[in-house]
Amino acid sequence: MKNFLIPTTLKDDTISAVKSAVNQSKNTDSEIILVLVSEAPDTFSSSNFLREMRSSLTKSQEEVLETCRYIIDHTPNCKLKVHNQYGLSSPIFKRIIEVFSVKLVILTPSYKQETKKIHQYLVQLAGNQKCPILHLSTEINKDVFKKALYIENSDVNIHIKDVQQFLSENFSFEIVSQTASFEDNFENAEPFLSEAITKHNIDMLVETRKGEKIKFKKVKKENINEKLGLPVLSLYEELV
């Protein structure tokens, strides 16, 4: 069973995330979990706590949720679950991953742009889990990915064959090109990257990551998928 976790505030790109999960399920029994996180109400009264927890959805959010349900209702072997999480910590998020047997976390552009600390916190917590993360793009998001560019981190001793083997066992695309990390030299590398992407019809980037200390920064660092406009599959190094 291949289960997917999609943190969401029910913006339109949640629909793209659900479609991507459906296609990555490879027609196996799967559950797609939409997670809506909120701060726990700061009150000692049980009645006030329950009252504040009852948050209604806006019309646009309801429409997004109904569209997601429609997609799942017309997809064999897939189920949809909405999980409301009040309060968040590293142990809680790790437990969510374990309880739902999550094999892939899908992060949408709108979710990563959320300004509330609890959403920013979840994104950073996800990066510290061993579970793969698919970062969707605002520009190009196909339902099915076929060809990937592997961005090799020079500080990591992982052979491309090991990465490809992991992809073959868990996903439906292959690495057709690779490049060294260009984080500090993107302007010079961009023409060569764009040429490789066009030449090989690349629709996905693959990178590896390490766990990082949680930090809240006023200025957010631009991610690789934002620079190149492609989805990125991020693999935890110890998992490969």
Side-chain angles (χ1 to χ4, degrees):
M1 193 166 182
K2 194 170 185 180
N3 294 344
F4 304 85
L5 185 74
I6 304 175
T8 180
T9 53
L10 295 176
K11 300 282 177 46
D12 287 343
D13 54 9
T14 301
I15 298 170
S16 297
V18 169
K19 289 180 179 178
S20 180
V22 166
N23 283 284
Q24 290 299 325
S25 67
K26 295 185 177 181
N27 298 317
T28 59
D29 290 340
S30 300
E31 186 171 45
I32 298 171
I33 303 101
L34 300 181
V35 175
L36 290 84
V37 297
S38 304
E39 295 285 358
D42 186 16
T43 176
F44 292 103
S45 168
S46 299
S47 58
N48 285 342
F49 184 89
L50 293 173
R51 186 163 49 250
E52 291 186 32
M53 282 177 64
R54 295 193 191 102
S55 56
S56 59
L57 300 178
T58 64
K59 183 178 179 181
S60 61
Q61 287 177 316
E62 289 177 349
E63 289 174 351
V64 168
L65 185 55
E66 284 305 309
T67 301
C68 293
R69 284 176 172 151
Y70 178 85
I71 293 169
I72 298 303
D73 287 344
H74 291 77
T75 304
N77 307 316
C78 272
K79 296 179 181 179
L80 185 69
K81 181 179 180 62
V82 178
H83 177 74
N84 289 283
Q85 178 62 45
Y86 297 93
L88 193 63
S89 66
S90 181
I92 287 174
F93 189 71
K94 183 178 181 180
R95 185 61 178 162
I96 290 173
I97 296 289
E98 293 173 349
V99 168
F100 292 119
S101 301
V102 175
K103 301 301 181 185
L104 179 67
V105 175
I106 302 179
L107 293 176
T108 62
S110 69
Y111 196 84
K112 292 192 291 183
Q113 291 167 4
E114 290 289 340
T115 56
K116 288 185 178 180
K117 274 195 172 183
I118 195 164
H119 301 304
Q120 297 177 25
Y121 188 38
L122 187 149
V123 172
Q124 294 191 58
L125 288 176
N128 286 338
Q129 302 299 313
K130 293 184 179 181
C131 187
I133 302 172
L134 175 60
H135 298 266
L136 295 184
S137 167
T138 54
E139 297 181 32
I140 300 175
N141 279 312
K142 298 181 180 180
D143 291 340
V144 179
F145 306 114
K146 294 183 179 179
K147 297 182 179 181
L149 169 67
Y150 174 49
I151 301 170
E152 186 178 22
N153 189 340
S154 59
D155 296 331
V156 181
N157 187 25
I158 300 177
H159 198 280
I160 188 172
K161 289 184 178 179
D162 296 325
V163 178
Q164 182 58 68
Q165 183 178 347
F166 180 86
L167 294 179
S168 300
E169 293 172 353
N170 297 278
F171 300 97
S172 56
F173 50 87
E174 64 175 342
I175 296 172
V176 296
S177 184
Q178 70 181 108
T179 181
S181 178
F182 51 81
E183 283 291 329
D184 299 325
N185 195 28
F186 178 71
E187 290 184 2
N188 293 332
E190 184 178 13
F192 303 101
L193 293 168
S194 298
E195 182 181 354
I197 289 169
T198 303
K199 180 180 179 181
H200 297 287
N201 295 317
I202 288 168
D203 49 24
M204 163 73 68
L205 305 177
V206 176
E207 66 171 8
T208 58
R209 71 179 190 279
K210 294 180 180 178
E212 296 182 353
K213 187 177 180 180
I214 303 295
K215 294 180 180 179
F216 292 100
K217 300 177 182 178
K218 292 183 179 180
V219 179
K220 292 184 179 180
K221 186 178 179 182
E222 192 176 30
N223 295 322
I224 295 174
N225 60 332
E226 293 169 341
K227 291 178 179 178
L228 291 176
L230 287 173
V232 176
L233 179 67
S234 177
L235 306 176
Y236 199 82
E237 291 171 6
E238 294 179 12
L239 193 65
V240 179

